[in-house]
Short mmCIF file of all heavy atoms in Angstrom, two decimals:
data_model
loop_
_atom_site.label_atom_id
_atom_site.label_comp_id
_atom_site.label_asym_id
_atom_site.label_seq_id
_atom_site.Cartn_x
_atom_site.Cartn_y
_atom_site.Cartn_z
N THR A 22 3.95 4.45 4.75
CA THR A 22 3.55 5.15 3.53
C THR A 22 2.08 4.92 3.26
O THR A 22 1.60 3.79 3.34
CB THR A 22 4.38 4.63 2.33
OG1 THR A 22 5.76 4.80 2.63
CG2 THR A 22 4.02 5.37 1.06
N LEU A 46 3.14 10.36 8.12
CA LEU A 46 2.79 9.42 7.06
C LEU A 46 3.29 9.96 5.72
O LEU A 46 2.95 11.06 5.32
CB LEU A 46 1.27 9.26 7.03
CG LEU A 46 0.65 8.22 6.14
CD1 LEU A 46 1.05 6.82 6.58
CD2 LEU A 46 -0.88 8.35 6.19
N VAL A 64 3.92 -3.11 -4.80
CA VAL A 64 3.77 -4.43 -4.17
C VAL A 64 5.06 -5.23 -4.30
O VAL A 64 5.53 -5.81 -3.32
CB VAL A 64 2.57 -5.20 -4.78
CG1 VAL A 64 2.56 -6.65 -4.34
CG2 VAL A 64 1.26 -4.52 -4.40
N LEU A 127 -10.39 -13.11 2.40
CA LEU A 127 -10.60 -13.26 3.83
C LEU A 127 -9.58 -14.18 4.50
O LEU A 127 -9.16 -13.92 5.62
CB LEU A 127 -12.02 -13.76 4.12
CG LEU A 127 -13.12 -12.74 3.84
CD1 LEU A 127 -14.49 -13.35 4.07
CD2 LEU A 127 -12.95 -11.49 4.69
#
Side-chain angles (χ1 to χ4, degrees):
T22 303
L46 187 65
V64 169
L127 290 176

